[in-house]
Amino acid sequence: STFRLARTQAPSLPQQQLMAAGSGSAPVDEVSAAFQEDGEDDGYVPPPKTELKEILQKEETDESLRRYRESLLAGASVDAGNKDDPRVVIFDIFTVLLEGRPPLEFRLNTEAELELLSQSKFVVKQGTTFQFRVTFRVQHDIVAGLQYRNVVKKHGIRVDRTSQMLGSFAPRAEPYVFDFPPEEAPTGFFARGSYKATTQFVDDDKQTHLEFSYKFDIAKDWE
């Protein structure tokens, strides 16, 4: 797909501290407000939450549901994670894959790491392909309908709004790695310049698990 600028659309910290640290000067609800403004929050009400232990013990007679449950719960463990850390989803690494360049990795675990990311800036050469990857862990319980939301601004004006469903994930010892679809950087005089993006990860219950910001330039060349 193409990045369409014309579109208007370690130690752990408590979740609220991480969200505030990564958001820079942007309001914590800036991304949610952008999606509500464009009518994409449609009032969906998720079904009642079922505890992981109950799901693991339940006998499923429907074959398709049984296969789905087996896929979702493969390797699941109610004991996975740090009992002293209340977070259900822990994001570890945000990776930027750039065509023909070494990958850029940004850690997401601490306030200092999120602040470093918010102050960092990377360059994307116009017309080249880039891709995001996120590495995260799930503990304590299932996260249902984990979704990525991203709002991009140039000179304070929103120029892009993107969402991507990651899926539902059960707690386990091994981290999950999700690769986003590749995108193509736009070209031309009006596309080049400096941008600021604000990213949110939310679930079906409208719980925000992490919010952070980063900056990037679209340029004629890599340097």
Side-chain angles (χ1 to χ4, degrees):
S1 62
T2 301
F3 178 45
R4 291 165 287 179
L5 297 179
R7 196 166 41 168
T8 55
Q9 354 168 37
S12 60
L13 297 176
Q15 186 61 40
Q16 293 301 323
Q17 285 182 270
L18 286 176
M19 289 167 55
S23 61
S25 60
V28 170
D29 63 352
E30 176 183 359
V31 179
S32 297
F35 281 81
Q36 290 170 355
E37 175 185 318
D38 290 342
E40 291 208 7
D41 278 336
D42 56 5
Y44 165 72
V45 178
K49 189 173 182 63
T50 304
E51 294 297 324
L52 177 59
K53 287 183 179 179
E54 182 180 340
I55 296 174
L56 288 171
Q57 294 168 356
K58 183 180 178 181
E59 290 292 334
E60 184 56 68
T61 56
D62 184 281
E63 180 64 20
S64 61
L65 290 177
R66 185 185 64 78
R67 287 196 301 267
Y68 171 75
R69 191 182 73 164
E70 289 177 352
S71 173
L72 174 63
L73 300 179
S77 171
V78 293
D79 299 320
N82 182 354
K83 290 182 171 58
D84 296 326
D85 186 343
R87 292 176 294 171
V88 174
V89 185
I90 302 173
F91 290 91
D92 290 317
I93 304 173
F94 173 60
T95 305
V96 183
L97 303 171
L98 301 168
E99 180 182 328
R101 308 286 287 186
L104 303 175
E105 288 192 350
F106 301 95
R107 299 201 63 85
L108 306 172
N109 249 318
T110 67
E111 181 177 354
E113 289 168 347
L114 290 174
E115 180 62 25
L116 178 62
L117 172 56
S118 72
Q119 298 303 319
S120 300
K121 180 184 285 189
F122 57 87
V123 175
V124 181
K125 181 181 177 182
Q126 64 178 6
T128 61
T129 299
F130 66 96
Q131 186 177 15
F132 296 142
R133 170 183 296 158
V134 65
T135 304
F136 61 97
R137 290 168 285 144
V138 177
Q139 60 182 14
H140 309 317
D141 205 353
I142 291 173
V143 58
L146 186 62
Q147 185 183 44
Y148 157 91
R149 292 177 167 185
N150 193 56
V151 171
V152 180
K153 291 186 175 182
K154 184 178 185 182
H155 304 309
I157 300 172
R158 176 158 57 95
V159 295
D160 189 71
R161 178 185 49 76
T162 306
S163 65
Q164 173 74 45
M165 178 60 69
L166 278 67
S168 298
F169 304 90
R172 70 181 191 187
E174 298 79 17
Y176 292 95
V177 178
F178 186 90
D179 286 342
F180 292 86
E183 299 187 61
E184 182 181 314
T187 61
F189 174 79
F190 292 105
R192 294 193 294 271
S194 297
Y195 297 84
K196 180 180 179 180
T198 304
T199 295
Q200 253 186 16
F201 290 93
V202 301
D203 64 19
D204 269 354
D205 295 320
K206 307 302 181 186
Q207 171 70 37
T208 300
H209 293 278
L210 183 67
E211 178 171 309
F212 61 85
S213 64
Y214 59 91
K215 302 170 186 174
F216 63 97
D217 283 350
I218 294 178
K220 280 187 175 182
D221 213 329
W222 292 112
E223 303 299 335

